[in-house]
């Protein structure tokens, strides 16, 4: 995996990689904007309800003001924290439809001896992407209460974050490469056989995604593809 990571950094200037990163970033940004708008309306509605309840049950004005302020601050903080935790998964959903050109570029440069990849039927590709998107959403929805509960309990919150995103990232990158040679069932069996290695590779990618530097962000995609090819 470390050899693959080195190759990933070396190929980071490839136009195919940058194009996919830019497109996936724009898709992720659009998704987050939609989520933020929905969350803002929801929190505004809840805030009005809390304000009415406090006004009806508490007669002290400064307590009413403090309650409104605390609810607003907590809402903004929760929205930012949830956005941070969900960023890798949302980014991955956007990338899942765009990574095939990167796989081709990686194989062309570093694995030229491989036979031609199988043609994946459009129905199979769409079904695989939809299944992965559903798995990503379900896992993150289930994990959300634990994220919130562990918010102030480092490093447990980081362990949960990297384990979940390591599993998701490793799964997606591995199957992206595997289905170029195997059908979905064969790719799934192979992924489960190398489960720990796949999760470890995905965890490394998840860590790189949390580094606020463009070059590691470009490189994490190649690392995932290289590691999955090992």
């Amino acid at each position: 995996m470390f050899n693959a990571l080195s190759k990933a950094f070396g190929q980071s200037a490839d136009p195919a990689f940058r194009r996919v990163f830019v497109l996936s970033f724009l898709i992720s940004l659009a998704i987050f904007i939609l989520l933020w708008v929905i969350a803002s309306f929801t929190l505004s509605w809840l805030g009005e309800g809390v304000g009415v309840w406090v006004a009806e049950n508490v007669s002290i004005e400064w307590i009413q003001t403090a309650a409104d302020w605390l609810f607003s601050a907590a809402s903004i903080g929760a929205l930012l924290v949830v956005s941070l935790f969900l960023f890798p998964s949302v980014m991955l959903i956007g990338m899942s439809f765009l990574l095939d050109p990167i796989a081709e570029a990686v194989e062309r440069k570093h694995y030229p001896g491989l036979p031609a990849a199988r043609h994946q039927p459009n129905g199979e590709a769409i079904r695989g992407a939809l299944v992965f998107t559903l798995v990503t959403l379900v896992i993150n929805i289930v994990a959300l209460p634990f994220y919130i509960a562990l918010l102030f309990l480092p490093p447990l919150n980081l362990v949960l974050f990297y384990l979940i995103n390591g599993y998701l990232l490793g799964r997606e990158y591995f199957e992206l490469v595997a289905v170029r040679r195997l059908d979905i069932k064969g790719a799934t069996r192979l992924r489960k056989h190398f489960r720990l290695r796949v999760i470890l590779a995905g965890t490394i990618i998840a860590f790189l995604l949390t580094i606020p530097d463009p070059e590691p962000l470009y490189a994490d995609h190649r690392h995932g593809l290289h590691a999955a090819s090992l």
Side-chain angles (χ1 to χ4, degrees), residues 162-219:
Y162 285 121
L163 281 178
I164 289 176
N165 287 286
Y167 167 77
L168 292 172
L169 287 162
R171 171 177 175 156
E172 172 65 2
Y173 282 126
F174 185 90
E175 292 191 354
L176 171 72
V177 175
V179 295
R180 295 172 61 80
R181 313 292 166 183
L182 304 169
D183 59 20
I184 288 182
K185 290 183 179 179
T188 300
R189 285 196 299 269
L190 190 63
R191 174 179 59 80
K192 290 180 178 179
H193 181 74
F194 293 103
R195 181 182 292 108
L196 293 180
R197 186 184 300 185
V198 170
I199 294 175
L200 177 59
T203 302
I204 294 174
I205 300 167
F207 175 74
L208 292 176
L209 271 172
T210 60
I211 299 176
D213 187 319
E215 277 305 312
L217 285 175
Y218 294 140

Side-chain angles (χ1 to χ4, degrees), residues 135-148:
V135 169
T136 300
L137 292 174
V138 169
I139 288 178
N140 278 283
I141 289 172
V142 171
L144 186 57
F146 297 96
Y147 278 141
I148 295 173

